[in-house]
Amino acid sequence: MPGDHVTIRPARPDRADGAHFARYLDLAGDGLFRWMLGRRSAAILAEAYPTPGHDLSYEHVRFAEVGGEVAGMLSGYTAADHARASDEPLEKAAGIHKLRLWAAGLLAAPVLGFMGRLAEGDWYLQAVAVDPARRGAGIGSVLLDHAEQAARRTGSRRIVLDVAVDNEGARRLYERRGMAIEARSPTIPFTSGNAVYRMAVNVTPDPANQPQP
């Protein structure tokens, strides 16, 4: 409901938060992970989530709560975090579904490669999603405010994200936040669409996190 107080908290590496993460990542990803991992995608993502050192780790996740209940999620990391990330936790969690993950990765390589390119000083907004029943209450704006603060705290100079070409509502929201399209990915072969726009906005880093001369 409009007017309800929204709080942001760090994610915990437990089963309950892993389930929340998988659900909200699916909402944010327009079905990409289901396409790559199959019907067990939620369980696989939740299994990988508690492990540190990869892009889908709890370390990069914040949850929005209203009245003590999870109502949205934010996931993001720096270019340096991404450069250090390993694919091993997701592959291990996928188990026998790893072959599907590899095959999907090969097919989608042009798009995944596009999404994985981050410049030094970028802070990548991997996912932001709000519970469908709570949309319109300002939770998304609170999450995006938090993303901007996180980017500044890490000394990043830009926030970048990828949004599905056909997701006009999300694109307009990001444009209202000052973000602009700077590139378009290739399309995944043999699929209906699945291209993304790269959007970016400059931010002013927190001086406390800048290297000293």
Side-chain angles (χ1 to χ4, degrees), residues 12-24:
R12 298 182 288 262
D14 59 30
R15 185 181 298 272
D17 272 5
H20 290 311
F21 171 72
R23 175 177 180 246
Y24 284 102

Side-chain angles (χ1 to χ4, degrees), residues 27-43:
L27 286 173
D30 296 308
L32 175 64
F33 288 95
R34 274 177 287 148
W35 177 77
M36 295 186 68
L37 295 167
R39 60 185 177 84
R40 291 199 68 252
S41 62

